[in-house]
């Protein structure tokens, strides 16, 4: 039963990442009006707080957080007061229908992401959805179809893809710097405290390592696979009791293969909520290797190694400095550096 559970989770994660859609609107009202893009925030938790802090680090003429919506007006008002957000709404529909909101960020609990995204899209608003985009591939496909039908921007918040080191890694892989990629190994692990501040990890619906961090190593695999999901996932792992009954996946080791037109490619993924792992990614090609150094979900360094026989290589390490923590940040941004 563990293998079936873990395989299901890994396949779902691959499906979600492969369904990434950027369907931009035909016009940009904010730019046309010469004003910053006005963001509305769905959710008043920690992730939403982090995102507001990141937006405030941008130049004032680029972005402004204009409103927050939460399940209760009290929660929305507390969030707005603590972070200096002008408007607070009771309910997500009210936020989505606020005429002053140009784009919506969904930072609610994972099992509500799809519903919140539907609300935003139905209101005609572009939307950035915190990962996971949805709880399964069917929900994700429905969101993609809705966004396409409305001509709206929809994006899963896989921020790792936008780090300069990852952008460079993608360029090197596509340019054939290490030749045909035949293997990828990626990991992500951290010691969760399910009985304390990390209670979300044992949620019976959205908890477990698959929904918490597996998207990171899988996303790195898909960087080499051209976003093609694997035809075969062989996995094993361990579970632990979920809150209120049942079990959640806690550690996963998986082998992925059958990547469409890249039959030579296979990958191994390790993720756990029991311990810190090296958190590196190694792409192995017929000409050499490309390594994203830890922490691979927010990397600032990569090494390109071109093989010179079996025991030697020419190595080049590239550094990509992370931006400084902005002056006056309301809370530390939770990334290295």
């Amino acid at each position: 039963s563990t293998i079936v559970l873990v395989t299901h989770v890994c396949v779902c994660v691959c499906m979600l990442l492969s369904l990434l859609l950027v369907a931009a609107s035909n016009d940009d009202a904010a730019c046309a009006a010469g004003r910053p893009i006005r963001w509305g925030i769905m959710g008043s938790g920690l992730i939403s707080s982090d995102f507001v802090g990141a937006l405030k680090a941008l130049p004032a003429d680029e972005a402004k957080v204009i409103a927050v919506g939460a399940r209760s007006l009290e929660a929305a008002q507390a969030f707005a007061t603590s972070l200096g957000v002008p408007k607070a709404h009771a309910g997500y529909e009210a936020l989505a229908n606020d005429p002053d909101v140009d784009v919506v960020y969904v930072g609610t609990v994972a099992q509500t992401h799809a519903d919140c995204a539907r609300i935003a899209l139905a209101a005609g608003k572009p939307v950035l959805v915190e990962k996971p985009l949805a709880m399964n591939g069917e929900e994700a496909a429905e969101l993609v179809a809705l966004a396409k039908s409305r001509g709206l921007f929809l994006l899963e918040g896989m921020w790792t893809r936008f780090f300069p080191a990852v952008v460079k890694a993608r360029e090197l892989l596509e340019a054939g710097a290490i030749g045909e990629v035949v293997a990828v190994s990626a990991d992500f692990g951290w010691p969760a405290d399910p009985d304390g501040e990390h209670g979300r990890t044992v949620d019976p619906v959205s908890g477990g390592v698959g929904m918490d961090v597996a998207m990171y190593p899988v996303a790195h695999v898909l960087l080499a696979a051209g976003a093609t999901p694997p035809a075969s996932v062989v996995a094993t792992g361990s579970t632990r009791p979920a809150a209120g009954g049942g079990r959640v996946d806690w550690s996963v080791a998986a082998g992925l293969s059958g990547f469409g037109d890249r039959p030579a490619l296979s990958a191994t993924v390790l993720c756990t909520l029991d311990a810190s792992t090296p958190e590196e990614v190694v792409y192995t090609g017929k000409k050499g290797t490309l390594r994203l150094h830890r922490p691979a979900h927010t990397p600032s360094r990569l090494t390109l190694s071109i093989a010179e026989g079996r025991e030697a290589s020419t190595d080049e390490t590239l550094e990509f400095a992370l931006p400084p923590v902005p002056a006056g940040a309301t809370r530390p941004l939770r990334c290295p550096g």
Side-chain angles (χ1 to χ4, degrees), residues 35 90 148 231 236 313 324:
R35 57 170 172 76
K148 285 182 175 180
T236 188
S313 63

Side-chain angles (χ1 to χ4, degrees), residues 112-317:
T112 65
H113 286 182
D115 286 340
C116 288
R118 289 189 196 98
I119 290 170
L121 293 169
K125 300 295 170 68
V127 58
L128 170 63
V129 187
E130 189 52 65
K131 56 194 178 306
L133 177 64
M135 295 301 293
N136 54 59
E138 182 179 353
E139 282 187 345
E142 291 173 356
L143 290 179
V144 169
L146 178 58
K148 285 182 175 180
S149 70
R150 302 297 298 269
L152 293 170
F153 179 96
L154 171 66
L155 181 69
E156 184 182 44
M158 179 49 71
W159 65 320
T160 302
R161 286 291 184 95
F162 296 89
F163 275 70
V166 177
V167 173
K168 183 62 175 180
R170 186 172 192 165
E171 292 174 354
L172 290 170
L173 292 172
E174 291 179 348
I178 61 172
E180 181 183 6
V181 180
V182 297
V184 184
S185 62
D187 68 272
F188 195 122
W190 63 283
D193 178 13
D195 299 319
E197 62 177 320
H198 308 133
R200 73 176 191 280
T201 59
V202 288
D203 185 286
V205 178
S206 60
V209 71
M211 286 295 182
D212 196 71
V213 298
M215 69 284 292
Y216 287 114
V218 171
H220 287 304
V221 171
L222 295 180
L223 208 65
T228 301
S232 173
V233 178
V234 179
T236 188
S238 62
T239 65
R240 67 168 294 139
R247 303 187 72 83
V248 294
D249 54 310
W250 204 246
S251 291
V252 174
L256 291 70
S257 60
F259 292 96
D261 60 353
R262 307 188 189 198
L265 177 63
S266 62
T268 56
V269 169
L270 169 67
C271 47
T272 180
L273 296 177
D274 260 338
S276 295
T277 65
E279 215 217 319
E280 290 194 329
V281 182
V282 179
Y283 299 94
T284 300
K286 293 185 176 181
K287 293 166 53 180
T289 62
L290 182 64
R291 181 186 301 270
L292 277 170
H293 296 276
R294 72 181 308 170
H297 76 293
T298 55
S300 60
R301 187 163 60 102
L302 63 83
T303 297
L304 173 64
S305 300
I306 303 302
E308 297 178 352
R310 293 184 60 185
E311 298 180 0
S313 63
T314 299
D315 303 331
E316 179 184 10
T317 297

